[in-house]
Amino acid sequence: MEDKDYTSTTKPVTFKKALFDFWKRAFDFSGVTKLGEFWWIEILSIGIGFAVVFLSTTLVEKKTSLVVILLILLLFFIFFGFPAISLSIRRLRDVGLANLGILGIFIMMVIVAILNNIYTLNSLVDIINTIVNLIVFYVSLRPTDNYITTHKRGWRSKIFRQQKVGTSKV
């Protein structure tokens, strides 16, 4: 397995560059995404998400076909969901998680989402959902290489990326 170079430039990312990289790397699950690039896309996704919810609500009130509403939601997921998943994976890798750590976070999120759908009005599930989302949010905000490790064995070596020889954690 080749050793990937996870370093990149530290100059600020513009909205235009972040958007271009978001689409260009839509199915690229390798490498990293810096914090600035990640947040430009998150802000855009939140705005578009509100627009989609508003549009869906408006269409429901106008008694529009459920098929049309589901088609709009499906298109939103295709154009923003898939690229957002690869963006999140690259961001988690940038903070220092290894593939197993990233997989663990996504498994937690899927389990909580399933529980949330099964027990829709259960406040304990809502609390667990909030905690998991806050953990992912917190980890996503961490600086580059925040969680890298020098351990060669044990759970840390499987969850966190290995620190490269000759580099120091800042």
Side-chain angles (χ1 to χ4, degrees):
M1 185 156 70
E2 68 185 60
D3 187 30
K4 295 189 186 313
D5 181 21
Y6 293 107
T7 60
S8 71
T9 62
T10 56
K11 62 182 179 178
V13 178
T14 64
F15 175 73
K16 183 178 177 181
K17 181 177 179 349
L19 191 59
F20 177 75
D21 285 347
F22 178 69
W23 295 113
K24 180 181 171 190
R25 298 177 69 193
F27 297 100
D28 176 11
F29 295 91
S30 63
V32 298
T33 295
K34 297 298 178 188
L35 190 59
E37 182 181 350
F38 177 77
W39 281 107
W40 275 122
I41 299 303
E42 286 298 308
I43 291 168
L44 176 68
S45 295
I46 289 168
I48 292 174
F50 278 126
V52 167
V53 168
F54 177 75
L55 179 63
S56 298
T57 305
T58 304
L59 292 174
V60 166
E61 289 174 359
K62 292 184 177 185
K63 309 241 188 288
T64 306
S65 167
L66 183 62
V67 173
V68 172
I69 296 170
L70 290 175
L71 184 62
I72 290 170
L73 294 174
L74 178 66
L75 288 173
F76 175 73
F77 182 75
I78 289 171
F79 287 109
F80 283 97
F82 285 129
I85 290 170
S86 65
L87 178 81
S88 296
I89 288 172
R90 291 191 311 268
R91 178 68 200 133
L92 292 173
R93 185 173 293 112
D94 182 57
V95 299
L97 293 179
N99 289 341
L100 190 59
I102 295 168
L103 179 64
I105 285 178
F106 276 94
I107 288 173
M108 268 193 329
M109 291 175 74
V110 166
I111 289 171
V112 169
I114 290 169
L115 288 174
N116 207 17
N117 284 327
I118 294 172
Y119 304 105
T120 53
L121 299 176
N122 189 323
S123 60
L124 179 62
V125 174
D126 290 337
I127 291 170
I128 293 170
N129 186 26
T130 302
I131 290 170
V132 168
N133 286 323
L134 285 173
I135 290 169
V136 173
F137 178 71
Y138 175 79
V139 170
S140 296
L141 289 176
R142 306 309 303 153
T144 297
D145 292 337
N146 189 74
Y147 296 115
I148 60 174
T149 185
T150 56
H151 291 78
K152 302 288 184 205
R153 283 184 246 141
W155 67 271
R156 286 185 199 108
S157 67
K158 293 173 179 40
I159 303 296
F160 305 115
R161 270 192 301 113
Q162 293 291 313
Q163 181 176 350
K164 292 194 187 313
V165 178
T167 62
S168 64
K169 185 176 171 183
V170 180

